[in-house]
Amino acid sequence: MKLVRFGAAGAEKPGLIDGNGDLRDLSRHIGDIAGEVLSPEGLATLAALDVFALPIINSDQRFGPCVAGTGKFICIGLNYSDHAREAGLHVPSEPIVFMKATSAICGPDDDLVIPRGATKTDWEVELGVVIGKTAKHVSKEDALEHVAGYCVLNDVSERAFQNERQGQWTKGKSCDTFGPTGPWLVTRDEIADPQNLSMWLTVNGEMMQSGSTQTMVFGVAELVSYLSDFMSLQPGDIISTGTPPGVGMGLSPQRYLKAGDVVELGIEGLGKQKQRCISYG
């Protein structure tokens, strides 16, 4: 299934995309794409619905973040070997973990607001993993059973805040609108292998990132298992799994986003996003 949330910011309704690409309303059946709805039992209940009996919605709706009720937004740094090389850093021996504020989460096509004082706002296409069942000390072999599905993420980063303000990555990752999520939450059963998905990102139509989840250092199952040893992973939590090469910081000369720029990105089978950059205020 391709699950979505549509409507005005803060008032989104749950829906899904049917086999013809039409938006259908789920609000008579569930309150939101969150909590127990993301569990194996909740997803099985949705899968059993007669999709074509659901109300069809006009196509000009705004898509909100594809999952609600996110308690933790966990990011993995330098998780693509080719991205680590472009950053001039060693491939890590264990996952590098940092947090992104959940207030950064926004819709996939919402404006990207360059924050006040920012000078180095950068882009990062990433595979998002949404937890569906609580995970605590799970094995790598069982880890994917705790995943509800996958989505496209843009881990927008203000590099000056990240690297020049006493080394706190979270400060450079958590500004409002720095977490475009969606358009769809694609349930796990539709993705045969999360480690074999092509991904791309353009700025003003110019290809900047073109990669594959094949080059992840730590795959999805390993990340879920690893993280579950340090914290319980709960339904709606998001793991942003790292980015391939081609970020602005890695270019020579470096290049960063400015007001008026348009960022587009996508991942095979998971849809695409488009953000227009605007200045704060």
Side-chain angles (χ1 to χ4, degrees):
M1 292 179 290
K2 294 181 173 66
L3 302 176
V4 300
R5 300 174 66 248
F6 64 93
E12 292 93 347
K13 294 181 178 181
L16 59 77
I17 304 298
D18 69 21
N20 296 324
D22 292 324
L23 172 61
R24 301 276 178 165
D25 188 355
L26 281 171
S27 59
R28 294 180 184 175
H29 298 273
I30 58 173
D32 212 338
I33 309 297
E36 289 302 310
V37 170
L38 299 168
S39 70
E41 297 78 13
L43 294 177
T45 298
L46 291 183
L49 294 174
D50 180 357
V51 171
F52 293 100
L54 298 171
I56 195 166
I57 305 298
N58 66 64
S59 60
D60 61 354
Q61 291 283 336
R62 167 190 176 268
F63 282 166
C66 60
V67 64
T70 297
K72 295 187 288 297
F73 196 163
I74 309 163
C75 298
I76 308 299
L78 301 178
N79 195 35
Y80 283 70
S81 54
D82 36 11
H83 173 54
R85 285 195 296 270
E86 79 168 347
L89 299 170
H90 295 295
V91 174
S93 57
E94 290 188 41
I96 295 173
V97 180
F98 61 95
M99 307 296 280
K100 195 177 184 89
T102 56
S103 54
I105 296 172
C106 65
D109 301 328
D110 290 348
D111 288 343
L112 194 167
V113 181
I114 298 176
R116 184 172 61 186
T119 58
K120 298 179 179 180
T121 302
D122 207 346
W123 55 84
E124 294 190 12
V125 59
E126 305 204 3
L127 173 66
V129 178
V130 177
I131 298 299
K133 182 172 71 171
T134 298
K136 181 68 174 176
H137 296 305
V138 300
S139 68
K140 181 179 175 181
E141 291 72 26
D142 295 335
L144 293 186
E145 296 178 8
H146 298 262
V147 172
Y150 306 97
C151 63
V152 180
L153 283 168
N154 188 357
D155 178 21
V156 184
S157 309
E158 170 46 46
R159 302 300 189 189
F161 296 175
Q162 176 185 351
N163 298 323
E164 301 167 20
R165 301 289 293 273
Q166 295 301 307
Q168 296 292 324
W169 281 19
T170 297
K171 290 188 291 192
K173 300 281 188 171
S174 294
C175 302
D176 292 351
T177 75
F178 272 26
T181 304
W184 314 313
L185 171 60
V186 179
T187 51
R188 178 168 52 91
D189 59 295
E190 290 205 8
I191 302 300
D193 183 3
Q195 305 310 143
N196 188 28
L197 301 174
S198 60
M199 53 205 309
W200 58 271
L201 182 146
T202 66
V203 178
N204 300 328
E206 180 183 354
M207 187 65 70
M208 308 305 296
Q209 291 186 274
S210 179
S212 170
T213 57
Q214 289 180 345
T215 65
M216 276 188 183
V217 179
F218 307 102
V220 172
E222 187 170 2
L223 290 174
V224 171
S225 175
Y226 181 86
L227 290 169
S228 77
D229 283 340
F230 297 95
M231 63 193 86
S232 61
L233 302 176
Q234 297 161 336
D237 286 352
I238 298 172
I239 305 169
S240 198
T241 56
T243 197
V247 301
M249 181 177 64
L251 301 177
S252 181
Q254 294 179 338
R255 175 177 169 183
Y256 297 106
L257 296 171
K258 61 184 183 303
D261 285 346
V262 175
V263 181
E264 296 184 77
L265 58 150
I267 299 177
E268 180 183 356
L270 302 181
K272 61 182 180 180
Q273 304 182 352
K274 182 177 181 179
Q275 296 110 32
R276 180 174 64 98
C277 299
I278 64 173
S279 297
Y280 177 80

